[in-house]
Amino acid sequence: MDPLMDGARKSLVERRETLLRRVRTLQGEELELMTARGGDWVDTALDDEMHTVLGSLQETERREVQRIDAALKRMNDGAWGWCISCGNRIEPKRLRAAPEAAHCLGCAEVAAAR
């Protein structure tokens, strides 16, 4: 088997598990905030702000889990390591740094410029 893909798969699975644990923790903290409401308007405003921040963090981590899931699916389908935009090979150096990468560096730079 491909050592690059094996290492990437292990890294992605570990990262996914870490993110899912963090999302569960954040959901618990958010639930605590919602059930502990009370106090004056300053406390309420701070609780609302914290709720917004926790929600944003959860969404960011959910998107990362989706990128990881997509990379794992590409691995299973035999498409991992190939750019989903242009079809060229993604550089191994890029895959080692970001195993969830779906685009070669050129296509990623074009997408980021938009």
Side-chain angles (χ1 to χ4, degrees), residues 89-109:
R89 187 90 172 113
I90 299 173
E91 304 80 4
K93 186 176 180 179
R94 177 167 170 73
L95 291 171
R96 276 190 283 282
E100 71 281 3
H103 300 280
C104 67
L105 190 56
C107 290
E109 288 174 349

Side-chain angles (χ1 to χ4, degrees), residues 10-102:
K10 182 176 186 256
S11 173
L12 289 169
V13 168
E14 288 172 359
R15 179 70 179 144
R16 184 179 192 280
E17 290 170 1
T18 298
L19 287 166
L20 291 176
R21 276 193 306 272
R22 189 177 303 158
V23 166
R24 284 191 296 273
T25 299
L26 290 171
Q27 287 171 337
E29 290 173 5
E30 190 173 21
L31 183 60
E32 266 183 50
L33 278 174
M34 290 170 56
T35 57
R37 287 213 174 234
D40 60 16
W41 67 270
V42 174
D43 290 336
T44 301
L46 289 172
D47 287 349
D48 288 346
E49 182 66 24
M50 184 59 79
H51 176 76
T52 301
V53 169
L54 289 173
S56 177
L57 286 172
Q58 288 178 46
E59 183 57 34
T60 299
E61 290 172 342
R62 279 191 204 105
R63 281 189 302 247
E64 187 171 352
V65 168
Q66 289 172 341
R67 286 191 300 274
I68 290 169
D69 287 344
L72 292 170
K73 182 177 182 336
R74 288 192 304 277
M75 286 178 176
N76 292 335
D77 295 345
W80 182 79
W82 299 93
C83 180
I84 64 171
S85 292
C86 69
N88 290 331
R89 187 90 172 113
I90 299 173
E91 304 80 4
K93 186 176 180 179
R94 177 167 170 73
L95 291 171
R96 276 190 283 282
E100 71 281 3

